[in-house]
Amino acid sequence: MPATPDLAANPLTHWTGPLGLPDFSRIGDGDFSAVFDAALKAHEAEIEAIAGNADQPTIENTLAALELSGQPLDRVSSIFWCKAGADTNDTIQALERDVSPKMARHFSAISMNEKLFSRIDDLYRRRDTLGLDAETLRVLEKTWKGFVRSGAKLDAEGKTRLAAINEDLSSLGTTFGQNVLADERDWALFLDEADLAGVPDFLRSAMAEAAELRGRKGRYAVTLSRSIYEPFTTFSARRDLREAAWRAFTMRGENGGACDNTAVVRDMLALRAEKAKLLGYDSFAALMLDDTMAKTPKAVHDLLDPVWRKALEKAAADQAEMEKLAADAGSNDKFAAWDWRFWQEKLRAEKFAFDEAELKPYLQLDNVIAACFDVATRLFGVTFEEKKGVPAWHPDVRVFEVKNADGSERGTFLADYFARPSKRSGAWMSALQSGYRLGEGASPIIYNVMNFARPPAGEAALLSVDEAKTLFHEFGHALHGMLTDVTWPSVSGTSVSRDFVELPSQLYEHWLTVPAVLEKHALHVKTGKAMPKALLDKMLAARTFGAGFATTEFTASALVDMAYHARPDAPAEPLAFEAATLAALAMPDTIAMRHRTPHFGHVFSGDGYSAGYYSYMWSEVLDADAFSAFEEAGDAFDPALAKKLRDNIYAAGGSKDPEDLYRAFRGKMPTADAMMEKRGLA
Ligand SMILES: [Zn+2]
């Protein structure tokens, strides 16, 4: 037996690197297991001490003690989950399968600890007599509700069953994610020079790089990374290859064998339905929506259903135009899903006289990063300075010191931009450490992970408009984490309801297309010249182009997610249910869901966005309206509005009710009008 690690000295729990970071150079994959075990034990002891305290419960000895407990566990977990997402391997994956159910068991036990709950319950009952400030009162209420929703009021049998369900769900979520990753990693279509008709230079180099990474130097790989899959199906003139790529992409997680997610999904849906029933809710959606802005499945449908009808109309009109274009070009093929991006791009070029590939040389990764920072400086006064040579979880990771306008410390920002086989797909923000004031306090350490195609050595990485938007989006989440100004850890940064959390990120995307930002940062990779005004105007005019497709693929996923979870039971055959739901919605067979069930990570890699994929559109209603405030002011950097935005949205975390926060910024709640208009669906 190896000795029990000393949590006060171990690099996973005692962080001694520059800028308050862990010293990643001293961390190995083999270190996690023993530290996890020790940190879990230490947390258990802390919880027992709080629960067993003989003194009358106080905010200090109960709520604050609970919030500040488990710090070593938080630390080892944050590093581990960062590795598991951004740079995994067989060792980490095996450990993930072991750790997930252990953590689920651990947190189930805490939320079902009767002595602990009775102390929280005691404070909750006396809450009006304790003279609490608004944030503390909110944290107390949220904590109490969290215990109840986690089964604190169940009888012993119910508690045992709920704990078992949580553990199973956690394991299944891990398996789901690993299966998708395996399918994405294992599939590649290796092409030769002669197969590249229509493929622009930037994509050609990305495909060459992807092939070389997979040991096939000299060839070109189509992979299932969005950075390659989407442009390939947009530009490749080879219909047969587009079809092959489309099929592989939409079949991720449904290829039979050990990595098939069909049964995983079936079991998860059944367990979720059972969990909801046990806790007294009509459906899993009702349980998940209980503490959101939307609150009920009906409110979600009130938003999505009208949008869906508009999206279908728009998509049908767009398809008719594309079919005509294809016929005029001499194509006799029946229009199919793998034709959509290709002909949409041709239609865009015809309507707006430019193509995506023309924009790309102006969107250099480094300049888009600089634009992100610049906007944050102009709006909020914060500055970013890169610190070279600071070790992180992978040599690609870049580290930035973040300061306030007065030069004081604000936090640390890390960013990991390029795709690699060890990284899961998608883009995300997370925290190694949240910022808060309670106890000794902590500064935020926030990171972004992207999956941009790596450029060949010596060349600049170029982004598509969508990728640049993604970078702004995730950076918006990062700012939500970095600008946080709250006392209590549990309401720090992005700890807000799911249908509010996309507001800071989606709102930030709007600044990418502010002309002053593009003029300054969209410089041609070869000439260094700014994007010509004519091209910029065309790009802005084309902004709503393709809204039929984008809204249909998104809303279909959101509606299927609700259909799965808003029923009291679970479908025995989820994929048949998916097909039947889409048929009832009149989903066109020329558009696929943005995320089909077997790879819908938002919904099945964990509970994260289950019955919650609609949240992006809910937040979009808010962000479209919020940006309108700057448009109405006639200045995208209006200082008074920027201050309100910072105080009420980016700094406030979950310290207040989200509706109150939004009203404090904007004066009123929005309707869906601005969102529909910005999407071009009005
Ligand atoms: Zn987001």
Side-chain angles (χ1 to χ4, degrees), residues 473 477 502 505 616:
H473 178 103
H477 281 308
E502 297 301 329
S505 53
Y616 292 93

Side-chain angles (χ1 to χ4, degrees), residues 276-344:
K277 201 176 204 173
L278 196 56
L279 290 167
Y281 289 86
D282 290 342
S283 65
F284 189 69
L287 167 66
M288 293 304 282
L289 291 170
D290 192 29
D291 70 344
T292 61
M293 288 181 89
K295 296 194 170 63
T296 63
K298 182 185 174 301
V300 174
H301 278 284
D302 287 348
L303 169 67
L304 294 180
D305 295 350
V307 172
W308 177 249
R309 286 190 292 274
K310 284 279 184 200
L312 286 185
E313 272 172 37
K314 185 78 176 69
D318 289 351
Q319 185 175 328
E321 274 193 275
M322 288 187 282
E323 280 170 340
K324 182 166 179 310
L325 194 65
D328 290 350
S331 161
N332 297 315
D333 303 313
K334 184 179 176 314
F335 196 85
W338 43 93
D339 294 322
W340 195 291
R341 286 181 198 279
F342 179 76
W343 289 105
Q344 182 164 284

Side-chain angles (χ1 to χ4, degrees), residues 120 153 312 395 494:
I120 295 288
K153 290 187 158 184
L312 286 185
T494 54

Side-chain angles (χ1 to χ4, degrees), residues 427-429 473-474 477 501-502 505-506 509 609 616:
W428 63 95
M429 163 273 188
H473 178 103
E474 296 307 332
H477 281 308
V501 78
E502 297 301 329
S505 53
Q506 293 182 171
E509 292 175 31
Y609 276 75
Y616 292 93

